[in-house]
Amino acid sequence: MFERQKNKCKIVYNNYQFYENTALSELIEKQMNEGYYLCGIIGESSNILKFCYDKTKKPESCIIYHKHLDEKIDAEIEKMKAEKMEMLCQNNHYIIFGIPSSEADGSKSDIVKKQNKLLGIPLKKSAALILILLILSIISLVLKILLIDKGNLYFNQMSLVLYLALNIVFLLYFAGDIYDIIQGKGICSDGIMYFSSRTKFKDILFRMGDILRLVILLGSICISAAILIFVKDGVIAINVLKMWLIYCTIGYIYRLRIRSSYLSVLLIQVFLAALSF
């Protein structure tokens, strides 16, 4: 989370994952206790939260609902709208209601618990998927290293560095989640896990991961452009373009079919390593 404060307004960069719904609620309520009230959200996943300062307003609790997740949740949203509950913000995926702190326990009903389960991580399936992807990733990286002296040297070196960097980014995020589970922030119910809050250490790791992802993306674009401009080799050009086609295609399909999370980093890395020899 990154904050920028100016003239009694605050812009907060939000990198909470979809399974941290309860933790995100806690973040918003913490801001309210400091006198900052949610007044805007930007991005499909509410990547930017906008707060305004109002010292005269009483602190509130909030409930975050995900639209189109479940029929009962959508019905609860319509019910709260009909009851003219205070709506703090909404976009195509999220709607956030504010409620008096004294009524919070009664309002956070079984619907919220059901939503947490729907948004949570199936532990066994997720562990199996991550293990399979990591094994494939290691195998692909070993093959890349063995074949680095064959074929197109410029492209092989660049792609190898890219794959290693993506693995490091994934491990930063993954270590953050593991740390919070050890610290008791992860709540497990019927084999499904979600997070009630986030530690400062995990927040730092996730922030580092976001910065490194941006550096990797910008760096890869610049290096790819330089290779295409200065290396007059049609095969290398095709390989570079093929790498970016795979990267963009897998990233787009992942966003369409699966809720966005850092697992996309590992998924993209595996497909890039496996398909761009």
Side-chain angles (χ1 to χ4, degrees):
M1 183 192 72
F2 174 76
E3 298 181 5
R4 182 170 67 83
Q5 187 174 335
K6 184 179 180 181
N7 297 329
K8 297 299 184 180
C9 292
K10 184 183 288 188
I11 294 176
V12 177
Y13 169 62
N14 167 37
N15 64 359
Y16 281 66
Q17 306 290 299
F18 65 87
Y19 51 82
E20 293 183 281
N21 201 63
T22 302
L24 180 57
S25 298
E26 183 185 75
L27 168 67
I28 295 172
E29 290 174 2
K30 180 181 178 182
Q31 299 294 327
M32 289 179 177
N33 289 331
E34 296 175 1
Y36 290 92
Y37 293 85
L38 191 66
C39 60
I41 51 179
I42 301 173
E44 289 185 355
S45 298
S46 301
N47 307 99
I48 301 294
L49 306 176
K50 297 171 66 177
F51 293 89
C52 297
Y53 186 79
D54 187 349
K55 66 179 181 180
T56 63
K57 199 171 180 181
K58 291 183 179 180
E60 293 180 313
S61 288
C62 73
I63 299 178
I64 303 175
Y65 286 120
H66 291 245
K67 299 177 181 178
H68 319 304
L69 183 65
D70 179 81
E71 291 182 0
K72 289 185 178 180
I73 295 174
D74 287 337
E76 180 72 10
I77 291 172
E78 294 303 318
K79 177 184 174 184
M80 294 185 76
K81 285 182 177 179
E83 293 175 352
K84 300 193 182 304
M85 296 290 292
E86 181 184 8
M87 185 172 64
L88 300 177
C89 286
Q90 70 169 325
N91 60 15
N92 292 333
H93 298 281
Y94 290 80
I95 184 166
I96 306 173
F97 291 102
I99 55 175
S101 298
S102 59
E103 300 176 15
D105 292 337
S107 299
K108 294 185 177 180
S109 60
D110 292 336
I111 295 291
V112 175
K113 294 178 182 177
K114 180 177 183 179
Q115 180 173 255
N116 283 335
K117 286 189 176 182
L118 291 172
L119 293 171
I121 308 168
L123 286 178
K124 291 182 179 180
K125 291 182 180 179
S126 297
L129 177 62
I130 290 171
L131 182 61
I132 291 170
L133 288 176
L134 280 174
I135 291 173
L136 290 175
S137 175
I138 292 170
I139 292 173
S140 298
L141 284 170
V142 170
L143 290 175
K144 282 284 182 188
I145 293 170
L146 293 176
L147 296 174
I148 195 68
D149 292 328
K150 299 180 180 180
N152 304 303
L153 186 60
Y154 292 103
F155 175 70
N156 282 336
Q157 287 180 331
M158 174 191 166
S159 60
L160 178 61
V161 172
L162 175 61
Y163 306 145
L164 286 170
L166 287 173
N167 266 331
I168 292 170
V169 172
F170 169 79
L171 290 174
L172 282 173
Y173 290 124
F174 190 63
D177 270 348
I178 294 298
Y179 178 81
D180 270 19
I181 290 172
I182 294 172
Q183 293 298 311
K185 303 299 183 181
I187 298 174
C188 187
S189 176
D190 298 326
I192 304 294
M193 175 164 285
Y194 63 93
F195 289 83
S196 59
S197 58
R198 180 190 279 196
T199 62
K200 187 67 176 177
F201 182 65
K202 176 178 174 178
D203 198 51
I204 292 171
L205 289 179
F206 270 55
R207 199 180 308 172
M208 289 172 59
D210 289 346
I211 293 171
L212 189 53
R213 284 175 73 174
L214 180 61
V215 170
I216 291 170
L217 180 62
L218 295 178
S220 298
I221 291 173
C222 293
I223 294 171
S224 297
I227 289 175
L228 292 175
I229 292 171
F230 297 109
V231 179
K232 307 300 183 182
D233 189 320
V235 175
I236 291 178
I238 291 173
N239 283 335
V240 170
L241 293 174
K242 183 175 72 171
M243 181 189 76
W244 281 107
L245 179 62
I246 294 169
Y247 186 93
C248 295
T249 301
I250 299 300
Y252 181 70
I253 291 173
Y254 187 90
R255 281 183 173 274
L256 282 179
R257 300 193 172 222
I258 309 174
R259 292 187 196 93
S260 177
S261 80
Y262 66 81
L263 189 59
S264 61
V265 174
L266 184 61
L267 191 64
I268 290 172
Q269 192 273 338
V270 170
F271 274 90
L272 279 172
L275 300 176
S276 63
F277 281 103

